[in-house]
Amino acid sequence: QMLGYDEADIGSSTEEAMKLMHPDDFESVVEEVQLALADVLKSYVNEHRMLCKDGTWKWVLDRGMVVSRDENGKALRMIGTHTDITERKEVEKLIWHQANFDSLTGLSNRASVREFLIQEVGRCRREGGMFAVLFVDLDHFKEVNDTLGHIKGDELLIEAAQRIRRCVQDDDWASRQGGDEFTIVLARPTTVERIEAVANRLIEVLSERFTLGENQAFVSASIGITLYPNDADDVDGLFRNADQALYESKRSGRSCFSYFTPLLQESAQARMSMANDLRVALAEKQFYVAYQPIIELATGAIHKAEALVRWAHPVRGLISPADFIPIAESTGLIVEIGDWVFRQAAQQVKLWRQRYHPEFQISVNKSPVQFHQGHLIRQSWAEHLLELGLPGQALLVEITEGLLLDPRPEVIRHLRELRAHGIGASLDDFGTGYSSLSYLQKYDIDFVKIDQSFVRNLSQESKDLALCKAIVVMAHELGMKVIAEGVETELQFQMLLEAGCDYGQGYLFGRPVPADELDTLLAGPKRAAG
């Protein structure tokens, strides 16, 4: 009845019942029954599949024991039970699938690929051989999520997973680590030629257009590669190496692949060490603020300066901001450091307003990370200025072009809050990013800073001069002032002045120096205009 049969449908012999068992389960059932009959096992317990009358399979739990034997110990009678456990098996299958596979893409998950790697390492230790682990990260996926929404982002991930699966063989392993990160294990036999062919194919297919309903999106792929046993002989080491190689691909400009090298390991350890040192640098007062003067080109007056954080490490000496700022951003420490710089600059601008000019203004750089975090901190900035008796105009926040393309509401809200408190905004390194005029119209920007790469090669015949003139005209038409960065020669100064540029900043006028050194410059005679 459990299987849907009438008595006439099956015979009464054991052999007839055994014919209903799933072929894959038959041997194990027979073996265990024989052990019970031989008195090796006191009871018999087995889970197996049985064929139903309608052609489907049900899982059955059989329990039995011999209850009668003759004088020679031969089994005469066995009794037991049959229990339908199909529902339980389905639940177990679902739980196992959820534990081992990514619910969105259908690829195996992080735990599953780790288990596979443990088995691969064990196999290669016994039999020899090499395999490769690839970490794949989708570049610019965050922009898709932010602009089109998470539903479209999920659709892209599903399609990306399908493309990845098509790039590997049945013996390989593809999994989703989480977010927009994937892991691929290229099993044996594998060669460097095959590894690079797969990596190049992944980069190619993932850079192709994604059609998401009525929308289109483009991403690219950065890949980190590590080899067993060349680079590491355990799973944790392979994961660590692949991650470091992926970081190198990101640093190299994305849409490429990089192999792990011992040098990357040293670099990763150095970054970790620096991150640890950063955590105590503020408390131990290892930072100081340097100020670089910004000169009004037409008059030579200095009523502006940029605040730049500097780190004087007690052992390593002066560490370049190019080295520690990215680490501070990746760890989130930039929020606390940026707040400290703001407060130092606020104290300083109050002093210089009293001493030199009532409208002296200091600009401070604000990382995109600070816009996405630190809501309470930015509220306290306005309060801090009020406590010092300073108007918002005393400080200027420098932001990047990329930030203006971030559609998240907290970025827009943050910029509007700054504006509401009178704190101005300056667009740093203008011309090197998207330079979208629509975003310049959308936000209230007070200054644009011409990137030094345009200033460096200024000449009467250069396209750089034409670009500088175009930026000046555009900015003035939109009601913004222009600051040229990286001014180092008198010729650059004169050409920028003739182009109508408002302000200049660079070694020609002064390097970033501690506040007391800039005091000397501010107290001296101003630079004569062109």
Side-chain angles (χ1 to χ4, degrees):
Q1 289 176 349
M2 184 189 303
L3 303 176
Y5 295 106
D6 298 323
E7 282 192 41
D9 294 327
I10 55 176
S12 59
S13 67
T14 303
E15 288 75 13
E16 292 293 333
M18 297 291 272
K19 291 179 181 178
L20 300 179
M21 288 183 185
H22 195 287
D24 293 343
D25 303 335
F26 185 83
E27 287 187 12
S28 67
V29 174
V30 171
E31 181 181 353
E32 293 187 28
V33 169
Q34 292 298 330
L35 290 173
L37 293 175
D39 207 19
V40 176
L41 297 175
K42 295 302 179 184
S43 62
Y44 153 76
V45 179
N46 189 278
E47 296 179 357
H48 54 269
R49 286 158 288 183
M50 297 286 285
L51 181 64
C52 298
K53 187 174 182 177
D54 62 6
T56 61
W57 294 94
K58 275 191 176 180
W59 277 95
V60 175
L61 169 62
D62 275 5
R63 292 187 179 96
M65 63 185 300
V66 175
V67 295
S68 177
R69 295 181 184 273
D70 64 16
E71 62 275 10
N72 297 318
K74 180 181 179 181
L76 298 176
R77 188 176 182 205
M78 174 183 273
I79 64 172
T81 61
H82 299 277
T83 306
D84 183 355
I85 59 169
T86 305
E87 186 175 344
R88 191 198 83 193
K89 282 290 189 178
E90 291 297 327
V91 172
E92 289 176 353
K93 181 180 178 181
L94 176 62
I95 293 172
W96 180 86
H97 193 276
Q98 291 174 339
N100 291 278
F101 289 85
D102 175 53
S103 59
L104 178 65
T105 64
L107 295 178
S108 61
N109 60 17
R110 186 182 184 92
S112 184
V113 74
R114 173 177 284 273
E115 184 62 31
F116 175 74
L117 279 171
I118 291 173
Q119 296 173 9
E120 277 294 290
V121 168
R123 181 187 60 77
C124 286
R125 284 175 179 171
R126 293 188 306 271
E127 305 173 9
M130 177 184 78
F131 65 83
V133 178
L134 285 66
F135 273 13
V136 182
D137 185 87
L138 300 183
D139 309 317
H140 312 299
F141 173 73
K142 180 177 172 296
E143 286 91 326
V144 176
N145 248 355
D146 292 339
T147 55
L148 301 181
H150 289 279
I151 293 177
K152 295 299 182 184
D154 286 349
E155 291 179 14
L156 189 149
L157 290 174
I158 293 169
E159 172 62 24
Q162 293 173 353
R163 296 183 187 183
I164 289 171
R165 190 183 285 112
R166 291 195 291 268
C167 290
V168 299
Q169 299 175 357
D170 291 340
D171 291 340
D172 301 323
W173 196 274
S175 71
R176 182 187 176 207
Q177 294 289 88
D180 60 347
E181 296 180 355
F182 299 84
T183 298
I184 295 171
V185 181
L186 299 181
R188 64 159 191 167
T190 190
T191 62
V192 171
E193 290 76 16
R194 180 175 177 245
I195 293 168
E196 295 188 358
V198 171
N200 283 319
R201 180 60 179 156
L202 286 166
I203 292 171
E204 178 185 353
V205 301
L206 291 173
S207 65
E208 294 173 356
R209 178 181 59 196
F210 287 82
T211 301
L212 311 173
E214 297 179 354
N215 304 108
Q216 295 181 352
F218 291 88
V219 297
S220 57
S222 296
I223 303 175
I225 305 173
T226 189
L227 305 178
Y228 175 94
N230 305 46
D231 302 329
D233 61 357
D234 61 61
V235 176
D236 288 335
L238 290 167
F239 274 7
R240 183 172 59 249
N241 293 349
D243 191 54
Q244 291 168 11
L246 175 61
Y247 179 89
E248 179 64 17
S249 293
K250 293 282 191 182
R251 195 186 66 81
S252 299
R254 305 179 178 186
S255 193
C256 64
F257 65 84
S258 299
Y259 283 98
F260 169 81
T261 65
L263 186 61
L264 293 183
Q265 174 75 6
E266 295 174 12
S267 177
Q269 290 174 343
R271 290 196 304 273
M272 182 179 297
S273 175
M274 187 176 292
N276 292 335
D277 289 349
L278 270 173
R279 298 181 191 280
V280 299
L282 263 181
E284 295 184 358
K285 299 181 179 179
Q286 297 173 13
F287 291 112
Y288 71 90
V289 179
Y291 297 89
Q292 186 171 28
I294 298 173
I295 188 170
E296 188 175 28
L297 297 181
T299 65
I302 302 175
H303 299 151
K304 298 182 185 298
E306 181 179 358
L308 299 161
V309 64
R310 295 291 184 262
W311 183 11
H313 193 281
V315 176
R316 305 179 190 183
L318 197 62
I319 299 178
S320 169
D323 293 331
F324 74 82
I325 291 297
I327 295 175
E329 290 181 325
S330 65
T331 59
L333 292 170
I334 193 67
V335 174
E336 188 177 357
I337 294 171
D339 182 55
W340 179 82
V341 171
F342 178 89
R343 292 174 184 274
Q344 295 292 309
Q347 294 282 355
Q348 191 61 55
V349 77
K350 180 178 181 179
L351 178 63
W352 284 340
R353 279 186 164 224
Q354 294 170 344
R355 187 177 296 174
Y356 300 116
H357 195 280
E359 294 183 1
F360 203 99
Q361 185 181 61
I362 292 180
S363 59
V364 294
N365 291 280
K366 198 169 182 66
S367 162
V369 177
Q370 292 171 268
F371 276 83
H372 303 144
Q373 301 177 22
H375 174 69
L376 294 178
I377 285 179
R378 73 171 179 262
Q379 282 186 324
S380 68
W381 282 15
E383 296 169 1
H384 187 64
L385 292 178
L386 287 175
E387 291 171 0
L388 294 175
L390 289 171
Q393 291 82 358
L395 273 296
L396 187 72
V397 170
E398 293 198 9
I399 59 177
T400 61
E401 286 184 273
L403 184 71
L404 296 187
L405 292 182
D406 193 328
R408 281 179 285 186
E410 62 262 31
V411 173
I412 299 173
R413 184 168 59 249
H414 192 144
L415 287 169
R416 287 175 177 169
E417 285 177 7
L418 292 173
R419 173 61 63 188
H421 291 105
I423 300 173
S426 173
L427 196 55
D428 201 11
D429 301 330
F430 187 78
T432 61
Y434 298 96
S435 307
S436 173
L437 300 185
S438 63
Y439 283 94
L440 289 178
Q441 291 175 317
K442 182 177 180 180
Y443 299 103
D444 290 326
I445 303 297
D446 300 278
F447 296 87
V448 295
K449 300 187 78 171
I450 301 176
D451 186 71
Q452 59 184 330
S453 62
F454 297 115
V455 175
R456 188 179 300 120
N457 300 314
L458 278 180
S459 67
Q460 291 294 344
E461 298 79 22
S462 70
K463 292 182 179 179
D464 290 322
L465 178 59
L467 286 170
C468 289
K469 289 180 177 179
I471 292 172
V472 169
V473 171
M474 176 204 66
H476 287 172
E477 287 295 320
L478 294 174
M480 296 179 285
K481 299 289 187 179
V482 182
I483 303 171
E485 296 182 290
V487 183
E488 297 183 356
T489 68
E490 287 289 343
L491 177 61
Q492 293 167 354
F493 168 54
Q494 291 296 332
M495 296 181 73
L496 289 165
L497 181 64
E498 292 171 6
C501 187
D502 303 290
Y503 298 93
Q505 179 180 353
Y507 288 174
L508 180 64
F509 312 122
R511 294 173 178 267
V513 294
D516 56 349
E517 293 186 31
L518 187 56
D519 257 320
T520 303
L521 179 63
L522 294 173
K526 69 179 181 181
R527 178 188 177 91

